[in-house]
Amino acid sequence: MDITSKFALNNGVKMPLLGLGVFRSPMGETTRAAVRTALEYCYRHIDTARVYCNEKSVGRAIAEYKSVISRDELFVTTKLWKDDFKNPRQGLIDSLTRLNLDYVDLYLLHWPFEGYEQAWLELEKLQKEGLCRAIGVSNFKIHHLERLKECSASVVPQVNQVECHPANAENELLSYCKKNQICLEAYSPLGGEGRTLVNDPRIMGLADYYKVTPAQIILRWNIQRGVPVIPKSIKPQRILENSKLFDFEIKVDDMATIDEMNMNARRAFDSDRINQRPLESFPTLVEEP
C-alpha cells in the first residue's frame, strides 16, 4: 500500500484510504491552506460537510490545483444536513455551487435525523443523475442500516462514516458492514479533540518500537482493519506526518494490543437520540463570503 491506495466501494467507485477531514476547521484561509497543504502532500481525498460551513474554502483550494490535479484524481465528500432532508437535491446543488464542482464523489446523510428513510431514496436518484458517484451515511448504527432495507431502498450504502478509534473500535458494526459490503470509514480516528490516545503508554511504546509517531500507529491500525481514515489537522507538519502510514506494518500481536484498548467509548452524540438533541446545541449554518 501507499498514499495512492484505495478502497473499492460496492458500486466499483474507488475511495482513497487516507483523506483530510475539515470538521471544525474555520472557514476562510485556515481551511483553504489546510486543503492546499494536503494536496501538496499527495492527499487526494477531502471530506467536508454543509454544516462545517467551509465548503467554499475547500472548493477554492481545489480550484487552485485544477491545472495540476485532474478532477478524476480527486475524491471529494460532503454531507446532507437535516435542514435539507426535505429537498436533498437542492441541498446537493447548493453544496456543489459552494464547492464549485459538477459532482461530488461521495454524498452522505450526516445523521439519522427524522425522515432519513425518504432522504435516502432521494440520494439514490441523485446518484443516478450523476451528481454524486457514491452515496452513504454517517453515524448510522446497525438498526438504522437495517431500516433502509425495510423502506424499499434499492442501493446498499457505499459508506458508513462513524467515530472509530482504538477506544471505540466499533467491532460489531465493522463486522456487519463487511458482511454487507459497506465501507466503514473512520472520522475522529485519533480519538477526537481532548482525547489522550496518543499519550497512552501502549501506543507510545509501539510508536517507539516502529520508529513512527503515536498518531501514525493509531491511523495505521485502522487502515490494517480495512477502515479508511480522515484525520483532521490544520498544521502542515501534522498533515504530512499523518500521510506517512504506508512504509510500515503493525504486527499481528501488536494489533491485538491496540484492540485491547477498546472500551466502546464513543464521544460523539448518540445517534439514537439525535432527534431529541436541543436545536440550540447544533452549529449555526452560515454562508461563507
Side-chain angles (χ1 to χ4, degrees), residues 4-243:
T4 65
S5 295
K6 299 177 181 179
F7 188 107
L9 304 179
N10 64 32
N11 67 339
V13 170
K14 294 181 179 180
M15 181 175 75
L17 287 171
L18 174 68
L20 176 75
V22 295
F23 173 57
R24 289 183 178 169
S25 181
M27 68 174 72
E29 185 55 27
T30 299
T31 293
R32 188 176 172 186
V35 174
R36 283 201 310 261
T37 298
L39 294 176
E40 288 173 7
Y41 291 146
C42 297
Y43 285 68
R44 292 298 180 263
H45 180 186
I46 308 298
D47 180 281
T48 184
R50 168 63 186 112
V51 76
Y52 301 169
C53 300
N54 56 20
E55 288 174 314
K56 277 189 180 180
S57 301
V58 169
R60 287 165 180 161
I62 290 173
E64 293 178 30
Y65 282 83
K66 278 187 175 180
S67 62
V68 181
I69 304 171
S70 63
R71 176 65 184 90
D72 59 7
E73 291 182 75
L74 290 173
F75 193 98
V76 180
T77 299
T78 194
K79 310 175 189 78
L80 182 73
W81 189 239
K82 64 183 182 66
D83 296 34
D84 294 313
F85 265 32
K86 291 184 178 179
N87 193 346
R89 191 175 195 282
Q90 189 60 53
L92 177 52
I93 289 174
D94 290 343
S95 284
L96 290 174
T97 299
R98 287 186 287 267
L99 288 162
N100 193 27
L101 297 174
D102 296 325
Y103 65 90
V104 290
D105 299 276
L106 177 61
Y107 198 41
L108 304 177
L109 295 182
H110 207 149
W111 288 85
F113 290 114
E114 184 178 357
Y116 73 84
E117 300 94 338
Q118 185 59 41
W120 177 256
L121 299 180
E122 293 301 312
L123 259 62
E124 292 184 355
K125 297 176 185 177
L126 297 174
Q127 186 177 33
K128 289 179 180 178
E129 286 186 52
L131 294 175
C132 42
R133 297 172 66 223
I135 55 176
V137 296
S138 183
N139 299 296
F140 273 44
K141 297 183 180 181
I142 292 173
H143 71 88
H144 296 123
L145 295 166
E146 285 290 310
R147 176 64 181 157
L148 292 180
K149 295 180 183 179
E150 300 168 2
C151 297
S152 302
S154 61
V155 176
V156 175
Q158 272 89 58
V159 172
N160 183 18
Q161 186 186 106
V162 300
E163 177 188 341
C164 185
H165 45 72
N168 189 60
E170 290 288 6
N171 292 318
E172 184 181 1
L173 181 60
L174 177 58
S175 178
Y176 172 92
C177 285
K178 286 183 175 180
K179 182 179 178 180
N180 289 274
Q181 296 185 303
I182 301 169
C183 174
L184 190 76
E185 182 183 23
Y187 73 73
S188 296
L190 297 175
E193 294 182 22
R195 288 280 187 183
T196 56
L197 294 182
V198 294
N199 297 321
D200 186 284
R202 291 162 290 188
I203 295 296
M204 294 177 71
L206 290 172
D208 183 63
Y209 175 78
Y210 287 96
K211 307 303 180 187
V212 296
T213 68
Q216 288 167 340
I217 287 289
I218 295 171
L219 295 173
R220 178 71 194 194
W221 168 79
N222 246 335
I223 284 178
Q224 286 186 209
R225 298 167 78 221
V227 177
V229 293
I230 47 169
K232 175 253 178 174
S233 183
I234 58 174
K235 298 179 179 179
Q237 184 58 32
R238 292 276 178 83
I239 293 172
L240 177 60
E241 286 178 357
N242 289 344
S243 73

Side-chain angles (χ1 to χ4, degrees), residues 249-274:
E249 184 173 353
I250 302 174
K251 297 176 183 178
V252 173
D253 288 348
D254 294 332
M255 287 289 290
T257 296
I258 302 173
D259 291 342
E260 292 172 359
M261 294 175 61
N262 182 46
M263 301 179 293
N264 297 317
R266 191 171 189 271
R267 195 162 183 259
F269 202 86
D270 184 357
S271 55
D272 281 334
R273 298 188 298 112
I274 193 64

